[in-house]
Amino acid sequence: MKIPTFRKGDAFRGKIAANGQIMARECIAPQNNIDLYLNNSYHILIGYFNAFIDTYLFTIRSLDMNKRKNIALVAHDNRKRDLIEWVEWNYEVLLTHNLICTGTTGRMIEETLRKKLSEENVSTEINKIIKLKTGPLGGDQQLGAMITEGKIDILIFFWDPMEPHPHDVDVKALLRISVVYNIPIACNRSSADFIISSPLISEDYKLLLKDYSYYLNREIK
């Protein structure tokens, strides 16, 4: 990465926010560089600064995903039928992975898989599905904790955007922690189809995680 250099006489007046973003107010350049600064100078500075932050302050570490993934399956009541139909369609792939579900969803998925195997006359054994508590009783929080411990590789969460829920804050926290730990998330059937049909679903994968030690070690005043 090439970092721009400034000569004596250059000046930058601005402010660096807590999240590392430059809040530029004014940028003054020597006369012979004025064209550069007039042509998107703000965006150039922002790009270089963000690259510097990502490279030198938030270093990257990796986490290995095995071929056999730990897939979390969750659905709100009005979306459970969608998830069950999706499981029926993709049961062969899902049976090759470990499944973790919240309460009622887990029971419905287990019944669906057994029925599907019986209809297809397939002798494949169903691995034990890990069933957590139902969402409103803490199931979403349990999933979030498993994500922080590296026990969830993929989250398939069919949430209902049209209805309020008593545990909305838990849902938001679960989605946020999934982003923090960079795991794949599908919130509808289309995105779930893309994930389940990816060749990476059955391959070893190196998950890249940001190291937030800079944030953890920040000085608190």
Side-chain angles (χ1 to χ4, degrees):
M1 178 185 66
K2 185 178 180 181
I3 303 296
T5 58
F6 299 93
R7 297 176 301 178
K8 186 175 181 180
D10 293 2
F12 175 76
R13 296 202 296 271
K15 173 174 149 185
I16 299 177
N19 63 0
Q21 295 289 325
I22 275 187
M23 307 299 291
R25 292 197 297 269
E26 185 176 357
C27 190
I28 305 173
Q31 186 61 39
N32 60 348
N33 284 340
I34 196 66
D35 290 337
L36 170 65
Y37 284 89
L38 288 177
N39 290 304
N40 298 321
S41 61
Y42 172 79
H43 298 289
I44 292 172
L45 284 172
I46 291 295
Y48 280 135
F49 189 80
N50 286 339
F52 174 82
I53 291 293
D54 285 339
T55 303
Y56 297 103
L57 298 184
F58 295 114
T59 55
I60 301 297
R61 60 189 179 91
S62 63
L63 182 68
D64 291 330
M65 274 190 192
N66 298 322
K67 293 180 179 179
R68 190 180 188 91
K69 306 294 191 298
N70 298 315
I71 303 177
L73 299 172
V74 191
H76 287 155
D77 286 350
N78 289 342
R79 300 298 309 282
K80 280 182 170 51
R81 177 46 51 192
D82 285 340
L83 182 60
I84 293 304
E85 290 178 357
W86 183 82
V87 168
E88 289 178 337
W89 187 262
N90 297 285
Y91 79 96
E92 291 178 309
V93 177
L94 292 172
L95 286 175
T96 63
H97 300 283
N98 303 318
L99 303 181
I100 303 95
C101 307
T102 52
T104 310
T105 304
R107 176 177 55 79
M108 294 176 66
I109 287 175
E110 189 171 46
E111 293 173 353
T112 298
L113 289 175
R114 293 190 186 283
K115 180 180 178 182
K116 190 68 177 178
L117 290 176
S118 176
E119 292 175 350
E120 300 293 332
N121 196 24
V122 178
S123 58
T124 304
E125 289 292 328
I126 299 177
N127 294 315
K128 182 179 179 181
I129 298 176
I130 298 177
K131 302 184 191 71
L132 308 177
K133 292 183 179 295
T134 187
L137 296 182
D140 295 334
Q141 293 184 354
Q142 286 180 299
L143 270 180
M146 294 180 73
I147 291 172
T148 66
E149 296 169 354
K151 296 179 180 178
I152 300 293
D153 298 321
I154 296 170
L155 174 63
I156 308 294
F157 188 0
F158 286 13
W159 60 277
D160 184 1
M162 303 303 292
E163 292 289 337
H165 302 279
H167 59 304
D168 275 341
V169 290
D170 296 342
V171 173
K172 182 178 180 180
L174 175 59
L175 295 174
R176 177 190 172 276
I177 209 67
S178 300
V179 172
V180 169
Y181 285 86
N182 195 30
I183 69 168
I185 312 169
C187 294
N188 53 40
R189 293 184 68 163
S190 298
S191 54
D193 284 340
F194 273 86
I195 287 178
I196 203 73
S197 60
S198 168
L200 297 176
I201 194 71
S202 57
E203 296 178 5
D204 291 332
Y205 180 74
K206 192 171 291 293
L207 184 71
L208 298 180
L209 299 175
K210 281 190 175 183
D211 184 351
Y212 291 100
S213 57
Y214 172 80
Y215 173 80
L216 297 174
N217 298 326
R218 72 196 186 282
E219 182 180 355
I220 304 295
K221 298 180 180 180

